[in-house]
Amino acid sequence: MSGAILVCGTHSDAGKSAVVTGICRMLAREGVGVAPFKGQNMALNSFVTREGAEIGRSQAAQAAAARAEPEAAMNPVLLKPSGGGGSQVVVRGRPRTMATARSYQDMKRELMPVVLDSLEDLRSRFDVVVCEGAGSPAEINLRSADITNMGLAREARLPVLLVGDIDRGGVFASLYGTLALLSGRDQSLLSGFLVNRFRGDPSVLAPGLDKITALTGRPVLGTLPHAPALPQVDGEDSLALDSPSVVKPPAGRDYLSVAVARLGRISNFTDYDALAHEPGVSVRFTGSGEELLWADLAILPGTKATVEDLALLRRSGMARAFTERAARGMPTLGVCGGYQMLGRRIRDGVESGEPETEGLGLLPVETVFEEEKLLSRPGGWAVGFGRDGKDAPDPVSAYEIRHGRVRVGGGEPLFVTDDGEKGKEVEEGCRLGNTLGTSWHGVLECDGFRRALLRRVAAERGLDWKPGEEPFAAARERRFDVLADLVSEHVDREALVRLIEGGPTPGLPVISSRLSESGDPSEVEAGAG
C-alpha cells in the first residue's frame, strides 16, 4: 500500500482527529508504515519530540497510534494563541515570530513550501501518510491562502474524506453545504463522506445516506457509532474541556476530587488525563473559586499567557481559593505557568511585556522570561514519593515547553535529575508543605509518581482511596485499538484504500452554487477573519 489521504471535518470537533488516529492504528496493525500529518495546527496543547521540536499534542498521539516516533515534519506549522490577540508561530518545531490573525494570512504563502516539503519528506519514508485538516475546508474567508485544507489537497493532489458529526444535528446539510461552498476545482478532490457519532437504528439513517450520495455523487464510506465511554485522545483545543469526564468506581470506600483552574489560555490540559485514569478520581476543569477551594486536590495548570491569566485568576476569585488552600495546608499542584503564578514574582518581557508582576506568593520562587524557548525531554526521580511507601523515589519522565526560567529560593525540590555534563544532581520544582510546583509536563503519566501523589492527597484528606493497577500507557494503547476497531468495523476499507492509493476519484460532479459558478475563491484575495 502506498499513498496519502486528507481527512477534513465540517467544523471543529467533528471527530477528524479521532478518525485519523483510528486509521493510523488500523494500518499500523496491518504492518503498513504509516505517519500522521497536519500542515497547520492551532493549539495550546503541544508536545516536545526527541530532537527538541514542538508539535501539536494531537499529532504526537497520532504518531503513537501509528507506532511511529513523533517528529517535526508531522506538524510543520503550529500556532499558539497568546495574550493580546496574537499567536506565536512555530515552524518546524521552533518559534519563528508573533503574528496577528491578519498578518498570519500574508505569512501563509511563504509557509506553503514548508508544509509541502514536510509532507513529501514523510511520503518518501512512510508507505501511507494520513493528513488532517483544520477547522472546516469551507472557511471561504481563508481559502485564498489555505495551507492545511483544500489548498494542501490541491497542491499535493490529495483525496479528501469529509467527516460530519451527526450527534450535533444537521449532518446532511453540513456535508452538502461544505461541498457546495467549494470551488469546482476543490470539489473535484472531495471524494467521500464519513458520518461520525451516530446513535440509533441504522435502517432509519440509510435513506439519508443514499440521498446524499445521489445528490452529490460522493459515497458515504461509513458511519461510526457514538462511543460515550471512549475518552478523547489528547484533544487539541479547549472544546475538549467541555466533554464530561468518565469517573471509574473507586477501589476503596472514597472518591478523590480534582479541580483544575480553567484559565483563558490554558495549555497542555491533557497532563491531567492520567488522573482520571485512576479509579475513583473525578477531574473537573472549573472557573469557580469555591470548587477549587473544596476539591481534594487543586491544580493551577500551564498557560500561554501567564501574566494575563494571573490577572484573570485574581478577577475571578480563583486566586483567593489557592491562597486559602495554602493557609489550610490543602494539597495544591502548579504546572509550568501555574507553577510560575504560585511564586513571588514574574518578570516577563517576552509574552506580556510586563517588567514585573506580583505572583500569589505561595512558593519561594521567581520567574524571568527569556526570548529563547526551552524545549526538552527531561527525566529524574520524585523525591519523597517512593513507590508503595518505600524510600526509593519513583522515576519520572517529562517534557518542558517554556520561556520562563524559574529561580528557587527555598522549600524542597519536587524532582531531581542527573546533569550528564556536569556530573551532579540537579533539582527541579519546589514543594512547601502541601503546595507543589514543577515546570515539567507529563509527570502525571508516570504511574508511580501519580499514585504516590494521590495517596498523599487521600491521606491528607482522611480518605480511604486506593490506586488502580493498569499502567496509563496501556490504557492509551487500548484507546488507540478501540478507535482502530471502530474504523475497521464501520468504514468501507476497500473504498478507503482506493482513495489512499489512487488519489481523488475522477469525474466527480460539481454541485452548482453561486460560489462554484463565479470563480475560484483561492484566486481571489480574502479577508483574514
Side-chain angles (χ1 to χ4, degrees), residues 34-338:
V34 59
F37 177 80
K38 189 161 186 173
Q40 170 206 291
N41 196 352
M42 177 177 281
L44 290 176
N45 203 20
S46 58
F47 180 79
V48 178
T49 67
R50 292 197 182 280
E51 68 268 28
E54 185 178 8
I55 65 173
R57 178 81 188 193
S58 183
Q59 280 61 67
Q62 290 165 352
R67 295 172 179 159
E69 184 65 33
E71 55 177 287
M74 295 173 179
N75 179 206
V77 180
L78 174 64
L79 303 179
K80 304 193 72 176
S82 303
S87 293
Q88 184 179 65
V89 183
V90 179
V91 180
R92 287 189 170 126
R94 299 290 176 182
R96 173 173 290 189
T97 188
M98 292 294 295
T100 64
R102 181 166 294 278
S103 67
Y104 179 66
Q105 300 309 308
D106 297 329
M107 287 183 60
K108 285 183 178 180
R109 291 174 177 82
E110 63 185 77
L111 291 175
M112 177 61 95
V114 174
V115 171
L116 293 174
D117 287 349
S118 296
L119 176 57
E120 185 58 34
D121 177 32
L122 291 175
R123 295 188 70 171
S124 71
R125 295 184 284 115
F126 291 87
D127 301 325
V128 173
V129 180
V130 185
C131 309
E132 179 184 342
S136 164
E139 291 169 348
I140 55 178
N141 59 317
L142 305 176
R143 175 61 185 90
S144 64
D146 174 56
I147 63 174
T148 193
N149 290 310
M150 303 313 298
L152 173 66
R154 188 185 295 186
E155 290 291 335
R157 289 297 299 168
L158 297 174
V160 177
L161 179 63
L162 182 64
V163 179
D165 180 3
I166 195 171
D167 196 46
R168 291 179 180 234
V171 69
F172 295 117
S174 297
L175 294 172
Y176 187 94
T178 298
L179 177 65
L181 280 174
L182 303 180
S183 69
R185 290 179 64 189
D186 285 352
Q187 286 191 33
S188 69
L189 303 173
L190 203 162
S191 302
F193 301 127
L194 187 63
V195 175
N196 189 32
R197 300 181 181 131
F198 174 69
R199 44 180 143 196
D201 186 343
S203 66
V204 177
L205 180 64
L209 302 180
D210 294 339
K211 187 68 172 178
I212 196 72
T213 295
L215 288 169
T216 66
R218 275 83 175 166
V220 178
L221 271 62
T223 300
L224 300 179
H226 183 70
L230 179 65
Q232 186 166 6
V233 179
D234 290 346
E236 61 187 14
D237 58 42
S238 59
L239 287 173
L241 303 184
D242 296 324
S243 301
S245 176
V246 177
V247 183
K248 299 178 181 179
R253 289 193 305 271
D254 298 320
Y255 287 85
L256 280 181
S257 62
V258 179
V260 185
R262 187 158 182 174
L263 305 175
R265 295 294 183 186
I266 187 172
S267 65
N268 294 80
F269 50 82
T270 52
D271 278 350
Y272 317 110
D273 288 354
L275 294 173
H277 167 65
E278 295 296 333
V281 177
S282 166
V283 180
R284 178 175 171 80
F285 290 84
T286 179
S288 165
E290 185 175 0
E291 286 190 57
L292 288 166
L293 176 59
W294 294 110
D296 298 314
L297 171 64
I299 295 178
L300 191 49
T303 170
K304 189 63 182 70
T306 305
V307 171
E308 183 178 292
D309 273 346
L310 180 55
L312 168 65
L313 208 68
R314 289 188 163 114
R315 289 195 308 271
S316 66
M318 290 189 284
R320 289 193 298 274
F322 283 103
T323 300
E324 183 64 23
R325 289 184 68 90
R328 298 184 187 186
M330 300 170 69
T332 296
L333 172 65
V335 178
C336 199

Side-chain angles (χ1 to χ4, degrees), residues 442-464:
V443 292
L444 293 171
E445 295 184 11
C446 303
D447 299 321
F449 171 67
R450 177 183 67 254
R451 290 166 181 165
L453 172 64
L454 292 177
R455 280 195 300 266
R456 178 171 295 185
V457 170
E460 290 289 340
R461 303 289 286 167
L463 299 173
D464 177 32

Side-chain angles (χ1 to χ4, degrees), residues 358-417:
E358 184 180 352
L360 299 182
L362 306 181
L363 285 176
V365 302
E366 298 184 358
T367 302
V368 177
F369 278 63
E370 296 184 7
E371 286 287 345
E372 183 179 0
K373 182 181 284 191
L374 183 60
L375 299 167
S376 69
R377 294 274 291 271
W381 297 268
V383 183
F385 288 88
R387 186 185 297 106
D388 297 327
K390 297 179 182 178
D391 293 333
D394 278 303
V396 293
S397 57
Y399 59 98
E400 51 187 346
I401 307 168
R402 55 192 171 98
H403 287 282
R405 305 308 197 261
V406 181
R407 301 170 182 171
V408 181
E412 299 293 330
L414 189 57
F415 306 116
V416 295
T417 184

